[in-house]
Amino acid sequence: MQKGVEEVPYGFIKHIESEGYSKETVLSYRKVLNLFIIYLNSIYPEGKEPYEINPSDIKNYLSNQLQDGKKISTLNKELGILKTWFNYLWERDIVKVDPAVKIKRLKTTDSLKIDITYEDIQLLLPKVLSNPSYQPIRKVIFLLATKGLKTSDFRFTKDDILISEKNNEIEIPLSNRKLILKDQEADHFLEYYNSTLFNGSDFVFITNKSKEGPVAIEVMSILTHLRAISNDYLPNFDIQLTLVNMRRALISYLYTKKKLSIQQIAAELGIEEQSAANYLNKLGK
């Protein structure tokens, strides 16, 4: 699957049409598989053929979609579609090993829980930013995670950044909102940003791949930094910080402590009002 190619290859769509799948089902299969291909193309600039896809690619895709706000029930349907596609490829010897066959459905829960409060996260922030052993990237990933960023939000380019030295302010345009960093937060971001100017990529945050070189940052790179912070500062907590539980904590805080409305929370995080309502409903708010 070459870079830029987003149509489902190897005749799969024609196959399910010939099997009598309804138009609606065919459309849903096409949509999910195209999203998966677009995701792979965003991670692997040179593209990745089906026989090169491994279970981690599928799991990372599902994790990325979960952090972007998709429901577990929706992701389980998408996993079922991916399993059908890879089984089709395996039966035709296009892939020697089916990378999806052993991937289990995600466990659903009726409610979400708050692993750590946003107040605790706020207490961590100055400690993380002042830690002399931390590289600037770790500090800035945590800083942006406290703002409720998803994995996809970290994939902005250097040209996207607006720097106001006069006001000591950084503006980061995200997909559905603008993030403003001021004063000390702006200083930390600028220190890291300047260190990336010659990293060989247009992206501010990157993951270095052994074969492809620098690509837009992947979720596991972010989690590596958050886990290190968890181990250093939360040894007595039975949790590991993730973008998901930090985002949940922020949403709960905005609603219960800051008394923001669902509409205001949606605007603050750049999400749909229904998504904000769903989060709060599952958090029991």
Side-chain angles (χ1 to χ4, degrees), residues 23-59:
K23 289 184 179 181
E24 291 77 12
T25 300
V26 171
L27 284 173
S28 66
Y29 271 57
R30 187 193 299 273
K31 179 180 179 181
V32 168
L33 293 172
N34 282 344
L35 283 174
F36 181 61
I37 292 169
I38 291 170
Y39 167 79
L40 289 178
N41 286 339
S42 73
I43 299 300
Y44 302 100
E46 301 303 320
K48 197 168 193 181
E49 294 299 324
Y51 64 84
E52 298 175 307
I53 296 171
N54 58 54
S56 293
D57 291 322
I58 300 171
K59 291 177 181 178

PDB file of all heavy atoms in Angstrom, residues 23-59:
ATOM      1  N   LYS A  23     -25.251  -2.650   1.000  1.00  0.00           N
ATOM      2  CA  LYS A  23     -24.521  -1.440   0.631  1.00  0.00           C
ATOM      3  C   LYS A  23     -23.994  -0.722   1.869  1.00  0.00           C
ATOM      4  O   LYS A  23     -22.874  -0.202   1.871  1.00  0.00           O
ATOM      5  CB  LYS A  23     -25.422  -0.506  -0.175  1.00  0.00           C
ATOM      6  CG  LYS A  23     -25.724  -1.003  -1.588  1.00  0.00           C
ATOM      7  CD  LYS A  23     -26.550   0.021  -2.356  1.00  0.00           C
ATOM      8  CE  LYS A  23     -26.825  -0.457  -3.780  1.00  0.00           C
ATOM      9  NZ  LYS A  23     -27.618   0.527  -4.559  1.00  0.00           N
ATOM     10  N   GLU A  24     -24.826  -0.675   2.924  1.00  0.00           N
ATOM     11  CA  GLU A  24     -24.419   0.004   4.159  1.00  0.00           C
ATOM     12  C   GLU A  24     -23.214  -0.691   4.791  1.00  0.00           C
ATOM     13  O   GLU A  24     -22.275  -0.045   5.274  1.00  0.00           O
ATOM     14  CB  GLU A  24     -25.580   0.039   5.160  1.00  0.00           C
ATOM     15  CG  GLU A  24     -26.742   0.935   4.756  1.00  0.00           C
ATOM     16  CD  GLU A  24     -27.637   0.300   3.684  1.00  0.00           C
ATOM     17  OE1 GLU A  24     -27.480  -0.918   3.419  1.00  0.00           O
ATOM     18  OE2 GLU A  24     -28.474   1.022   3.117  1.00  0.00           O
ATOM     19  N   THR A  25     -23.239  -2.043   4.781  1.00  0.00           N
ATOM     20  CA  THR A  25     -22.130  -2.796   5.355  1.00  0.00           C
ATOM     21  C   THR A  25     -20.865  -2.611   4.538  1.00  0.00           C
ATOM     22  O   THR A  25     -19.767  -2.415   5.089  1.00  0.00           O
ATOM     23  CB  THR A  25     -22.478  -4.295   5.436  1.00  0.00           C
ATOM     24  OG1 THR A  25     -23.638  -4.456   6.249  1.00  0.00           O
ATOM     25  CG2 THR A  25     -21.332  -5.094   6.035  1.00  0.00           C
ATOM     26  N   VAL A  26     -20.997  -2.630   3.220  1.00  0.00           N
ATOM     27  CA  VAL A  26     -19.838  -2.422   2.351  1.00  0.00           C
ATOM     28  C   VAL A  26     -19.234  -1.038   2.599  1.00  0.00           C
ATOM     29  O   VAL A  26     -18.007  -0.889   2.687  1.00  0.00           O
ATOM     30  CB  VAL A  26     -20.226  -2.589   0.867  1.00  0.00           C
ATOM     31  CG1 VAL A  26     -19.074  -2.153  -0.041  1.00  0.00           C
ATOM     32  CG2 VAL A  26     -20.602  -4.039   0.577  1.00  0.00           C
ATOM     33  N   LEU A  27     -20.087  -0.044   2.736  1.00  0.00           N
ATOM     34  CA  LEU A  27     -19.600   1.316   2.994  1.00  0.00           C
ATOM     35  C   LEU A  27     -18.855   1.392   4.320  1.00  0.00           C
ATOM     36  O   LEU A  27     -17.817   2.053   4.424  1.00  0.00           O
ATOM     37  CB  LEU A  27     -20.769   2.308   2.987  1.00  0.00           C
ATOM     38  CG  LEU A  27     -21.338   2.684   1.616  1.00  0.00           C
ATOM     39  CD1 LEU A  27     -22.585   3.542   1.778  1.00  0.00           C
ATOM     40  CD2 LEU A  27     -20.292   3.427   0.789  1.00  0.00           C
ATOM     41  N   SER A  28     -19.388   0.716   5.345  1.00  0.00           N
ATOM     42  CA  SER A  28     -18.739   0.748   6.661  1.00  0.00           C
ATOM     43  C   SER A  28     -17.394   0.028   6.617  1.00  0.00           C
ATOM     44  O   SER A  28     -16.415   0.481   7.215  1.00  0.00           O
ATOM     45  CB  SER A  28     -19.641   0.133   7.727  1.00  0.00           C
ATOM     46  OG  SER A  28     -19.832  -1.251   7.516  1.00  0.00           O
ATOM     47  N   TYR A  29     -17.330  -1.100   5.875  1.00  0.00           N
ATOM     48  CA  TYR A  29     -16.059  -1.817   5.729  1.00  0.00           C
ATOM     49  C   TYR A  29     -15.044  -0.941   4.999  1.00  0.00           C
ATOM     50  O   TYR A  29     -13.879  -0.841   5.397  1.00  0.00           O
ATOM     51  CB  TYR A  29     -16.275  -3.121   4.953  1.00  0.00           C
ATOM     52  CG  TYR A  29     -16.621  -4.315   5.815  1.00  0.00           C
ATOM     53  CD1 TYR A  29     -17.739  -4.280   6.656  1.00  0.00           C
ATOM     54  CD2 TYR A  29     -15.856  -5.463   5.794  1.00  0.00           C
ATOM     55  CE1 TYR A  29     -18.074  -5.370   7.442  1.00  0.00           C
ATOM     56  CE2 TYR A  29     -16.180  -6.563   6.583  1.00  0.00           C
ATOM     57  CZ  TYR A  29     -17.289  -6.507   7.398  1.00  0.00           C
ATOM     58  OH  TYR A  29     -17.616  -7.586   8.188  1.00  0.00           O
ATOM     59  N   ARG A  30     -15.479  -0.310   3.914  1.00  0.00           N
ATOM     60  CA  ARG A  30     -14.582   0.544   3.146  1.00  0.00           C
ATOM     61  C   ARG A  30     -14.058   1.692   4.012  1.00  0.00           C
ATOM     62  O   ARG A  30     -12.864   2.015   3.984  1.00  0.00           O
ATOM     63  CB  ARG A  30     -15.318   1.100   1.922  1.00  0.00           C
ATOM     64  CG  ARG A  30     -14.405   1.872   0.955  1.00  0.00           C
ATOM     65  CD  ARG A  30     -15.237   2.666  -0.048  1.00  0.00           C
ATOM     66  NE  ARG A  30     -16.081   1.817  -0.854  1.00  0.00           N
ATOM     67  CZ  ARG A  30     -15.706   1.240  -1.990  1.00  0.00           C
ATOM     68  NH1 ARG A  30     -14.488   1.425  -2.443  1.00  0.00           N
ATOM     69  NH2 ARG A  30     -16.554   0.488  -2.675  1.00  0.00           N
ATOM     70  N   LYS A  31     -14.951   2.311   4.769  1.00  0.00           N
ATOM     71  CA  LYS A  31     -14.559   3.442   5.608  1.00  0.00           C
ATOM     72  C   LYS A  31     -13.518   3.042   6.640  1.00  0.00           C
ATOM     73  O   LYS A  31     -12.492   3.712   6.814  1.00  0.00           O
ATOM     74  CB  LYS A  31     -15.796   4.032   6.303  1.00  0.00           C
ATOM     75  CG  LYS A  31     -15.481   5.205   7.211  1.00  0.00           C
ATOM     76  CD  LYS A  31     -16.742   5.742   7.876  1.00  0.00           C
ATOM     77  CE  LYS A  31     -16.425   6.897   8.813  1.00  0.00           C
ATOM     78  NZ  LYS A  31     -17.651   7.410   9.489  1.00  0.00           N
ATOM     79  N   VAL A  32     -13.767   1.936   7.354  1.00  0.00           N
ATOM     80  CA  VAL A  32     -12.853   1.498   8.416  1.00  0.00           C
ATOM     81  C   VAL A  32     -11.493   1.119   7.831  1.00  0.00           C
ATOM     82  O   VAL A  32     -10.440   1.516   8.355  1.00  0.00           O
ATOM     83  CB  VAL A  32     -13.458   0.311   9.196  1.00  0.00           C
ATOM     84  CG1 VAL A  32     -12.410  -0.337  10.103  1.00  0.00           C
ATOM     85  CG2 VAL A  32     -14.645   0.784  10.031  1.00  0.00           C
ATOM     86  N   LEU A  33     -11.499   0.359   6.753  1.00  0.00           N
ATOM     87  CA  LEU A  33     -10.229  -0.077   6.169  1.00  0.00           C
ATOM     88  C   LEU A  33      -9.452   1.095   5.572  1.00  0.00           C
ATOM     89  O   LEU A  33      -8.216   1.135   5.658  1.00  0.00           O
ATOM     90  CB  LEU A  33     -10.493  -1.154   5.112  1.00  0.00           C
ATOM     91  CG  LEU A  33     -11.028  -2.471   5.696  1.00  0.00           C
ATOM     92  CD1 LEU A  33     -11.443  -3.422   4.593  1.00  0.00           C
ATOM     93  CD2 LEU A  33      -9.993  -3.132   6.598  1.00  0.00           C
ATOM     94  N   ASN A  34     -10.144   2.061   4.996  1.00  0.00           N
ATOM     95  CA  ASN A  34      -9.457   3.255   4.501  1.00  0.00           C
ATOM     96  C   ASN A  34      -8.846   4.050   5.652  1.00  0.00           C
ATOM     97  O   ASN A  34      -7.740   4.585   5.538  1.00  0.00           O
ATOM     98  CB  ASN A  34     -10.414   4.141   3.700  1.00  0.00           C
ATOM     99  CG  ASN A  34     -10.647   3.619   2.290  1.00  0.00           C
ATOM    100  OD1 ASN A  34      -9.888   2.786   1.806  1.00  0.00           O
ATOM    101  ND2 ASN A  34     -11.690   4.094   1.635  1.00  0.00           N
ATOM    102  N   LEU A  35      -9.564   4.142   6.786  1.00  0.00           N
ATOM    103  CA  LEU A  35      -9.011   4.821   7.963  1.00  0.00           C
ATOM    104  C   LEU A  35      -7.756   4.122   8.453  1.00  0.00           C
ATOM    105  O   LEU A  35      -6.775   4.769   8.840  1.00  0.00           O
ATOM    106  CB  LEU A  35     -10.059   4.863   9.093  1.00  0.00           C
ATOM    107  CG  LEU A  35     -11.178   5.892   8.968  1.00  0.00           C
ATOM    108  CD1 LEU A  35     -12.201   5.706  10.085  1.00  0.00           C
ATOM    109  CD2 LEU A  35     -10.612   7.305   9.012  1.00  0.00           C
ATOM    110  N   PHE A  36      -7.790   2.783   8.451  1.00  0.00           N
ATOM    111  CA  PHE A  36      -6.625   2.008   8.876  1.00  0.00           C
ATOM    112  C   PHE A  36      -5.439   2.258   7.934  1.00  0.00           C
ATOM    113  O   PHE A  36      -4.302   2.441   8.382  1.00  0.00           O
ATOM    114  CB  PHE A  36      -6.987   0.525   8.914  1.00  0.00           C
ATOM    115  CG  PHE A  36      -5.854  -0.372   9.356  1.00  0.00           C
ATOM    116  CD1 PHE A  36      -5.290  -0.239  10.609  1.00  0.00           C
ATOM    117  CD2 PHE A  36      -5.360  -1.351   8.504  1.00  0.00           C
ATOM    118  CE1 PHE A  36      -4.246  -1.063  11.027  1.00  0.00           C
ATOM    119  CE2 PHE A  36      -4.318  -2.182   8.913  1.00  0.00           C
ATOM    120  CZ  PHE A  36      -3.762  -2.037  10.167  1.00  0.00           C
ATOM    121  N   ILE A  37      -5.709   2.284   6.632  1.00  0.00           N
ATOM    122  CA  ILE A  37      -4.650   2.522   5.650  1.00  0.00           C
ATOM    123  C   ILE A  37      -4.093   3.941   5.797  1.00  0.00           C
ATOM    124  O   ILE A  37      -2.877   4.164   5.746  1.00  0.00           O
ATOM    125  CB  ILE A  37      -5.179   2.281   4.226  1.00  0.00           C
ATOM    126  CG1 ILE A  37      -5.483   0.793   4.022  1.00  0.00           C
ATOM    127  CG2 ILE A  37      -4.167   2.758   3.179  1.00  0.00           C
ATOM    128  CD1 ILE A  37      -6.240   0.489   2.749  1.00  0.00           C
ATOM    129  N   ILE A  38      -4.966   4.927   6.002  1.00  0.00           N
ATOM    130  CA  ILE A  38      -4.518   6.310   6.210  1.00  0.00           C
ATOM    131  C   ILE A  38      -3.635   6.394   7.445  1.00  0.00           C
ATOM    132  O   ILE A  38      -2.600   7.074   7.454  1.00  0.00           O
ATOM    133  CB  ILE A  38      -5.733   7.251   6.334  1.00  0.00           C
ATOM    134  CG1 ILE A  38      -6.460   7.380   4.994  1.00  0.00           C
ATOM    135  CG2 ILE A  38      -5.308   8.632   6.829  1.00  0.00           C
ATOM    136  CD1 ILE A  38      -7.802   8.080   5.085  1.00  0.00           C
ATOM    137  N   TYR A  39      -4.047   5.680   8.513  1.00  0.00           N
ATOM    138  CA  TYR A  39      -3.246   5.662   9.745  1.00  0.00           C
ATOM    139  C   TYR A  39      -1.855   5.088   9.470  1.00  0.00           C
ATOM    140  O   TYR A  39      -0.836   5.666   9.869  1.00  0.00           O
ATOM    141  CB  TYR A  39      -3.944   4.840  10.815  1.00  0.00           C
ATOM    142  CG  TYR A  39      -3.066   4.513  12.001  1.00  0.00           C
ATOM    143  CD1 TYR A  39      -2.817   5.451  12.994  1.00  0.00           C
ATOM    144  CD2 TYR A  39      -2.454   3.261  12.118  1.00  0.00           C
ATOM    145  CE1 TYR A  39      -1.998   5.172  14.069  1.00  0.00           C
ATOM    146  CE2 TYR A  39      -1.630   2.967  13.184  1.00  0.00           C
ATOM    147  CZ  TYR A  39      -1.406   3.914  14.158  1.00  0.00           C
ATOM    148  OH  TYR A  39      -0.571   3.622  15.217  1.00  0.00           O
ATOM    149  N   LEU A  40      -1.804   3.953   8.774  1.00  0.00           N
ATOM    150  CA  LEU A  40      -0.512   3.340   8.460  1.00  0.00           C
ATOM    151  C   LEU A  40       0.354   4.280   7.629  1.00  0.00           C
ATOM    152  O   LEU A  40       1.562   4.407   7.871  1.00  0.00           O
ATOM    153  CB  LEU A  40      -0.719   2.025   7.709  1.00  0.00           C
ATOM    154  CG  LEU A  40      -1.289   0.851   8.510  1.00  0.00           C
ATOM    155  CD1 LEU A  40      -1.485  -0.352   7.604  1.00  0.00           C
ATOM    156  CD2 LEU A  40      -0.377   0.493   9.684  1.00  0.00           C
ATOM    157  N   ASN A  41      -0.249   4.947   6.663  1.00  0.00           N
ATOM    158  CA  ASN A  41       0.507   5.869   5.820  1.00  0.00           C
ATOM    159  C   ASN A  41       1.033   7.061   6.605  1.00  0.00           C
ATOM    160  O   ASN A  41       2.072   7.630   6.264  1.00  0.00           O
ATOM    161  CB  ASN A  41      -0.351   6.355   4.652  1.00  0.00           C
ATOM    162  CG  ASN A  41      -0.533   5.293   3.581  1.00  0.00           C
ATOM    163  OD1 ASN A  41       0.255   4.357   3.492  1.00  0.00           O
ATOM    164  ND2 ASN A  41      -1.562   5.426   2.775  1.00  0.00           N
ATOM    165  N   SER A  42       0.320   7.439   7.663  1.00  0.00           N
ATOM    166  CA  SER A  42       0.792   8.549   8.500  1.00  0.00           C
ATOM    167  C   SER A  42       1.961   8.129   9.380  1.00  0.00           C
ATOM    168  O   SER A  42       2.794   8.953   9.758  1.00  0.00           O
ATOM    169  CB  SER A  42      -0.356   9.074   9.380  1.00  0.00           C
ATOM    170  OG  SER A  42      -0.658   8.163  10.437  1.00  0.00           O
ATOM    171  N   ILE A  43       2.023   6.836   9.704  1.00  0.00           N
ATOM    172  CA  ILE A  43       3.095   6.318  10.557  1.00  0.00           C
ATOM    173  C   ILE A  43       4.303   5.891   9.732  1.00  0.00           C
ATOM    174  O   ILE A  43       5.449   6.090  10.129  1.00  0.00           O
ATOM    175  CB  ILE A  43       2.576   5.124  11.392  1.00  0.00           C
ATOM    176  CG1 ILE A  43       1.416   5.570  12.296  1.00  0.00           C
ATOM    177  CG2 ILE A  43       3.704   4.527  12.236  1.00  0.00           C
ATOM    178  CD1 ILE A  43       1.771   6.662  13.279  1.00  0.00           C
ATOM    179  N   TYR A  44       4.028   5.308   8.575  1.00  0.00           N
ATOM    180  CA  TYR A  44       5.101   4.806   7.715  1.00  0.00           C
ATOM    181  C   TYR A  44       5.102   5.608   6.412  1.00  0.00           C
ATOM    182  O   TYR A  44       4.308   5.320   5.503  1.00  0.00           O
ATOM    183  CB  TYR A  44       4.912   3.320   7.430  1.00  0.00           C
ATOM    184  CG  TYR A  44       4.858   2.470   8.676  1.00  0.00           C
ATOM    185  CD1 TYR A  44       3.636   2.032   9.190  1.00  0.00           C
ATOM    186  CD2 TYR A  44       6.028   2.121   9.345  1.00  0.00           C
ATOM    187  CE1 TYR A  44       3.589   1.265  10.341  1.00  0.00           C
ATOM    188  CE2 TYR A  44       5.985   1.355  10.496  1.00  0.00           C
ATOM    189  CZ  TYR A  44       4.763   0.931  10.994  1.00  0.00           C
ATOM    190  OH  TYR A  44       4.709   0.177  12.128  1.00  0.00           O
ATOM    191  N   PRO A  45       5.950   6.611   6.299  1.00  0.00           N
ATOM    192  CA  PRO A  45       5.936   7.509   5.130  1.00  0.00           C
ATOM    193  C   PRO A  45       6.076   6.787   3.793  1.00  0.00           C
ATOM    194  O   PRO A  45       5.550   7.245   2.786  1.00  0.00           O
ATOM    195  CB  PRO A  45       7.141   8.429   5.392  1.00  0.00           C
ATOM    196  CG  PRO A  45       7.326   8.411   6.867  1.00  0.00           C
ATOM    197  CD  PRO A  45       6.952   7.034   7.300  1.00  0.00           C
ATOM    198  N   GLU A  46       6.783   5.668   3.779  1.00  0.00           N
ATOM    199  CA  GLU A  46       6.976   4.950   2.525  1.00  0.00           C
ATOM    200  C   GLU A  46       5.855   3.947   2.257  1.00  0.00           C
ATOM    201  O   GLU A  46       5.890   3.221   1.269  1.00  0.00           O
ATOM    202  CB  GLU A  46       8.329   4.218   2.546  1.00  0.00           C
ATOM    203  CG  GLU A  46       9.529   5.127   2.743  1.00  0.00           C
ATOM    204  CD  GLU A  46       9.596   6.201   1.683  1.00  0.00           C
ATOM    205  OE1 GLU A  46       9.320   5.887   0.517  1.00  0.00           O
ATOM    206  OE2 GLU A  46       9.913   7.353   2.020  1.00  0.00           O
ATOM    207  N   GLY A  47       4.864   3.906   3.141  1.00  0.00           N
ATOM    208  CA  GLY A  47       3.789   2.927   2.984  1.00  0.00           C
ATOM    209  C   GLY A  47       4.183   1.587   3.569  1.00  0.00           C
ATOM    210  O   GLY A  47       5.358   1.341   3.887  1.00  0.00           O
ATOM    211  N   LYS A  48       3.205   0.713   3.748  1.00  0.00           N
ATOM    212  CA  LYS A  48       3.471  -0.599   4.321  1.00  0.00           C
ATOM    213  C   LYS A  48       2.549  -1.608   3.665  1.00  0.00           C
ATOM    214  O   LYS A  48       1.329  -1.439   3.660  1.00  0.00           O
ATOM    215  CB  LYS A  48       3.253  -0.573   5.830  1.00  0.00           C
ATOM    216  CG  LYS A  48       3.894  -1.748   6.574  1.00  0.00           C
ATOM    217  CD  LYS A  48       3.895  -1.520   8.076  1.00  0.00           C
ATOM    218  CE  LYS A  48       4.792  -2.527   8.763  1.00  0.00           C
ATOM    219  NZ  LYS A  48       4.819  -2.374  10.226  1.00  0.00           N
ATOM    220  N   GLU A  49       3.110  -2.665   3.107  1.00  0.00           N
ATOM    221  CA  GLU A  49       2.326  -3.690   2.452  1.00  0.00           C
ATOM    222  C   GLU A  49       1.658  -4.576   3.496  1.00  0.00           C
ATOM    223  O   GLU A  49       2.162  -4.706   4.617  1.00  0.00           O
ATOM    224  CB  GLU A  49       3.218  -4.536   1.536  1.00  0.00           C
ATOM    225  CG  GLU A  49       3.796  -3.769   0.358  1.00  0.00           C
ATOM    226  CD  GLU A  49       2.717  -3.207  -0.551  1.00  0.00           C
ATOM    227  OE1 GLU A  49       1.681  -3.871  -0.741  1.00  0.00           O
ATOM    228  OE2 GLU A  49       2.906  -2.083  -1.066  1.00  0.00           O
ATOM    229  N   PRO A  50       0.525  -5.216   3.152  1.00  0.00           N
ATOM    230  CA  PRO A  50      -0.174  -6.058   4.132  1.00  0.00           C
ATOM    231  C   PRO A  50       0.704  -7.107   4.795  1.00  0.00           C
ATOM    232  O   PRO A  50       0.571  -7.370   5.994  1.00  0.00           O
ATOM    233  CB  PRO A  50      -1.288  -6.699   3.292  1.00  0.00           C
ATOM    234  CG  PRO A  50      -1.577  -5.680   2.243  1.00  0.00           C
ATOM    235  CD  PRO A  50      -0.240  -5.085   1.902  1.00  0.00           C
ATOM    236  N   TYR A  51       1.621  -7.716   4.017  1.00  0.00           N
ATOM    237  CA  TYR A  51       2.474  -8.755   4.605  1.00  0.00           C
ATOM    238  C   TYR A  51       3.491  -8.185   5.593  1.00  0.00           C
ATOM    239  O   TYR A  51       4.119  -8.936   6.355  1.00  0.00           O
ATOM    240  CB  TYR A  51       3.193  -9.551   3.499  1.00  0.00           C
ATOM    241  CG  TYR A  51       4.154  -8.751   2.660  1.00  0.00           C
ATOM    242  CD1 TYR A  51       5.465  -8.518   3.080  1.00  0.00           C
ATOM    243  CD2 TYR A  51       3.757  -8.237   1.428  1.00  0.00           C
ATOM    244  CE1 TYR A  51       6.340  -7.767   2.311  1.00  0.00           C
ATOM    245  CE2 TYR A  51       4.637  -7.489   0.647  1.00  0.00           C
ATOM    246  CZ  TYR A  51       5.925  -7.264   1.094  1.00  0.00           C
ATOM    247  OH  TYR A  51       6.802  -6.532   0.335  1.00  0.00           O
ATOM    248  N   GLU A  52       3.651  -6.858   5.612  1.00  0.00           N
ATOM    249  CA  GLU A  52       4.573  -6.215   6.554  1.00  0.00           C
ATOM    250  C   GLU A  52       3.866  -5.766   7.833  1.00  0.00           C
ATOM    251  O   GLU A  52       4.514  -5.379   8.798  1.00  0.00           O
ATOM    252  CB  GLU A  52       5.223  -4.997   5.895  1.00  0.00           C
ATOM    253  CG  GLU A  52       6.063  -5.312   4.666  1.00  0.00           C
ATOM    254  CD  GLU A  52       6.592  -4.065   3.980  1.00  0.00           C
ATOM    255  OE1 GLU A  52       5.783  -3.170   3.664  1.00  0.00           O
ATOM    256  OE2 GLU A  52       7.813  -3.990   3.768  1.00  0.00           O
ATOM    257  N   ILE A  53       2.543  -5.811   7.818  1.00  0.00           N
ATOM    258  CA  ILE A  53       1.776  -5.348   8.978  1.00  0.00           C
ATOM    259  C   ILE A  53       1.848  -6.386  10.091  1.00  0.00           C
ATOM    260  O   ILE A  53       1.698  -7.584   9.846  1.00  0.00           O
ATOM    261  CB  ILE A  53       0.308  -5.088   8.581  1.00  0.00           C
ATOM    262  CG1 ILE A  53       0.239  -3.950   7.559  1.00  0.00           C
ATOM    263  CG2 ILE A  53      -0.537  -4.748   9.807  1.00  0.00           C
ATOM    264  CD1 ILE A  53      -1.133  -3.767   6.937  1.00  0.00           C
ATOM    265  N   ASN A  54       2.093  -5.925  11.308  1.00  0.00           N
ATOM    266  CA  ASN A  54       2.185  -6.836  12.452  1.00  0.00           C
ATOM    267  C   ASN A  54       1.108  -6.508  13.478  1.00  0.00           C
ATOM    268  O   ASN A  54       0.431  -5.470  13.375  1.00  0.00           O
ATOM    269  CB  ASN A  54       3.586  -6.779  13.070  1.00  0.00           C
ATOM    270  CG  ASN A  54       3.958  -5.371  13.515  1.00  0.00           C
ATOM    271  OD1 ASN A  54       3.225  -4.736  14.264  1.00  0.00           O
ATOM    272  ND2 ASN A  54       5.104  -4.884  13.048  1.00  0.00           N
ATOM    273  N   PRO A  55       0.911  -7.376  14.471  1.00  0.00           N
ATOM    274  CA  PRO A  55      -0.131  -7.133  15.474  1.00  0.00           C
ATOM    275  C   PRO A  55      -0.009  -5.785  16.176  1.00  0.00           C
ATOM    276  O   PRO A  55      -1.021  -5.159  16.515  1.00  0.00           O
ATOM    277  CB  PRO A  55       0.048  -8.297  16.455  1.00  0.00           C
ATOM    278  CG  PRO A  55       0.625  -9.398  15.624  1.00  0.00           C
ATOM    279  CD  PRO A  55       1.533  -8.706  14.647  1.00  0.00           C
ATOM    280  N   SER A  56       1.231  -5.315  16.384  1.00  0.00           N
ATOM    281  CA  SER A  56       1.423  -4.025  17.062  1.00  0.00           C
ATOM    282  C   SER A  56       0.833  -2.880  16.260  1.00  0.00           C
ATOM    283  O   SER A  56       0.302  -1.917  16.832  1.00  0.00           O
ATOM    284  CB  SER A  56       2.912  -3.777  17.308  1.00  0.00           C
ATOM    285  OG  SER A  56       3.430  -4.697  18.238  1.00  0.00           O
ATOM    286  N   ASP A  57       0.914  -2.961  14.929  1.00  0.00           N
ATOM    287  CA  ASP A  57       0.321  -1.918  14.086  1.00  0.00           C
ATOM    288  C   ASP A  57      -1.181  -1.826  14.327  1.00  0.00           C
ATOM    289  O   ASP A  57      -1.751  -0.734  14.411  1.00  0.00           O
ATOM    290  CB  ASP A  57       0.587  -2.215  12.605  1.00  0.00           C
ATOM    291  CG  ASP A  57       2.048  -2.063  12.217  1.00  0.00           C
ATOM    292  OD1 ASP A  57       2.693  -1.133  12.724  1.00  0.00           O
ATOM    293  OD2 ASP A  57       2.521  -2.878  11.414  1.00  0.00           O
ATOM    294  N   ILE A  58      -1.828  -2.980  14.421  1.00  0.00           N
ATOM    295  CA  ILE A  58      -3.277  -3.014  14.627  1.00  0.00           C
ATOM    296  C   ILE A  58      -3.622  -2.515  16.027  1.00  0.00           C
ATOM    297  O   ILE A  58      -4.537  -1.705  16.212  1.00  0.00           O
ATOM    298  CB  ILE A  58      -3.817  -4.439  14.410  1.00  0.00           C
ATOM    299  CG1 ILE A  58      -3.514  -4.895  12.981  1.00  0.00           C
ATOM    300  CG2 ILE A  58      -5.316  -4.505  14.681  1.00  0.00           C
ATOM    301  CD1 ILE A  58      -3.797  -6.356  12.723  1.00  0.00           C
ATOM    302  N   LYS A  59      -2.880  -2.981  17.028  1.00  0.00           N
ATOM    303  CA  LYS A  59      -3.140  -2.558  18.409  1.00  0.00           C
ATOM    304  C   LYS A  59      -2.902  -1.057  18.572  1.00  0.00           C
ATOM    305  O   LYS A  59      -3.665  -0.369  19.266  1.00  0.00           O
ATOM    306  CB  LYS A  59      -2.260  -3.353  19.376  1.00  0.00           C
ATOM    307  CG  LYS A  59      -2.623  -4.818  19.479  1.00  0.00           C
ATOM    308  CD  LYS A  59      -1.662  -5.566  20.400  1.00  0.00           C
ATOM    309  CE  LYS A  59      -1.997  -7.040  20.480  1.00  0.00           C
ATOM    310  NZ  LYS A  59      -1.035  -7.771  21.343  1.00  0.00           N
TER     311      LYS A  59
END
